[in-house]
Structures are given as structure tokens and as C-alpha cells.
Amino acid sequence: LARKQAFRYRPAMSRRFSIEVAKDYFNFASAHFLIFADGKRERLHGHNYQVSVAMEGELDRAGVVLDFISFKPLVKRVCDDLDHRTLIQNASPILKISRKGKAIEILYKKQKLLLPRSDVILLPLMNTSTELLAEYVAQAIRARVRQEFPKTAIRWIEVAVEETRGQKGTFRGEF
């Protein structure tokens, strides 16, 4: 009879570990508009955005990249900061944006939008595409992880922002 050989776990020479979180409550409902490459502006409209996050890094002494229980509320707070707001691309060379008392005035060619200041987030982006929103969310998560979990050894972060089912932009960058 052939002898059964017991499985012996041997870590591979090259090891890479990652975590991914994609919860229904990683969402934000926001209004925005894009300015297309030809300079045309789409109408102000909104989406119910969904966010997912993946990170690659070294395992800690407990054998985890980052504890899910501690990490998920951090991602939720980043999403909540964008929720029920109008997202305006403050770095667009086409828009002229100014504060007018308790309002934000946005000039686009001969059009003027006047929005309550408390309803607006001015983002340091050239546009509010899902790709650039994913990068913005990644940067916000990166800053909070570094502050709240300074001993983690994360190498890469990937964030996807889905504006509608099956339609998303993704950013992947060094941590």
C-alpha cells in the first residue's frame, strides 16, 4: 500500500498578503458634474457611490495586514465625510469658484451656480470623475491609517468608487 504523506505547511519564498473590504455601508450619496475633455459641462446630478478598498502589506505579529474590525469604521468615516454633499472640483482650470457669504459661487463660461456653503465640498481635483474620486478617497484613507495605525507596513492601496452598478473607477498607488 502506498503511504499517505502528511501535509506540511511551508511558507513560500516570496509572500504577498492583502486585505479587501467592500461593504454595503461603504457608500455616499453626492451630487457632482463633470467637465469633459472638449470643455462641455454635464448637468449637476447625483449618484449613490459604493467604495471598496484593498491594501497589500506585511503581516503583523498576529498574522494580519490590518485588523478588519478596526479598519472598517475608518473607511466608513471617509465615506460619511462625502455623504449628502455636492462635490466640486476646486482644481479645474475651467471653473472660477468663490465664497459669497454663506454660499459658494461657481462660474462656468456664462453659467453661474450658487450653492449653500454647507452643502459643498471643494475637492482638490481637476474633475470629479470616479477615477479621481477613488484617488481622493485613497489619500484620505492613507492619511487616517498612518495616523491611527502607525505600526502597519502597508505597501499598496487600491480604491474603487462605483457610481452605478457595473461602472467604477479605480486608483492603485503606493502607500
Side-chain angles (χ1 to χ4, degrees):
L1 294 171
R3 246 197 240 176
K4 288 187 178 178
Q5 191 168 12
F7 171 75
R8 286 182 32 187
Y9 173 73
R10 293 184 184 142
M13 294 291 284
S14 176
R15 300 167 69 189
R16 294 171 61 162
F17 297 96
S18 63
I19 64 167
E20 183 173 352
V21 290
K23 296 292 187 181
D24 288 340
Y25 57 86
F26 292 167
N27 62 11
F28 58 97
S30 298
H32 83 123
F33 60 84
L34 289 177
I35 298 174
F36 297 106
D38 65 3
K40 291 183 181 173
R41 179 182 74 83
E42 69 179 350
R43 293 179 184 265
L44 184 65
H45 65 283
H47 297 285
N48 293 314
Y49 294 98
Q50 284 294 136
V51 173
S52 62
V53 182
M55 293 197 304
E56 179 184 300
E58 299 296 320
L59 298 180
D60 66 11
R61 290 187 314 214
V64 298
V65 173
L66 192 58
D67 174 34
F68 287 130
I69 294 169
S70 302
F71 181 57
K72 290 184 296 185
L74 182 150
V75 176
K76 176 67 173 139
R77 288 192 305 272
V78 170
C79 293
D80 288 349
D81 289 346
L82 300 171
D83 195 33
H84 289 92
R85 306 293 288 277
T86 302
L87 309 177
I88 301 297
Q89 52 271 48
N90 200 25
S92 170
I94 296 174
L95 299 177
K96 304 291 183 244
I97 300 169
S98 58
R99 290 175 174 84
K100 301 283 184 182
K102 293 184 179 185
I104 297 291
E105 182 180 81
I106 303 155
L107 299 175
Y108 164 78
K109 297 184 180 180
K110 294 182 180 185
Q111 299 175 0
K112 177 169 48 171
L113 289 94
L114 199 60
L115 300 168
R117 172 86 177 101
S118 60
D119 289 356
V120 174
I121 296 180
L122 297 174
L123 298 174
L125 306 175
M126 64 177 277
N127 219 342
T128 53
S129 65
T130 56
E131 299 89 339
L132 293 175
L133 288 173
E135 181 181 31
Y136 177 83
V137 169
Q139 289 173 353
I141 290 170
R142 180 186 300 133
R144 291 181 188 200
V145 166
R146 285 179 175 165
Q147 182 179 18
E148 294 181 32
F149 309 101
K151 294 183 180 180
T152 59
I154 307 296
R155 287 191 294 268
W156 289 93
I157 184 169
E158 181 174 295
V159 172
V161 173
E162 186 177 59
E163 66 180 16
T164 189
R165 186 165 161 73
Q167 189 169 307
K168 65 184 172 184
T170 303
F171 168 81
R172 179 174 165 86
E174 290 184 14
F175 200 79

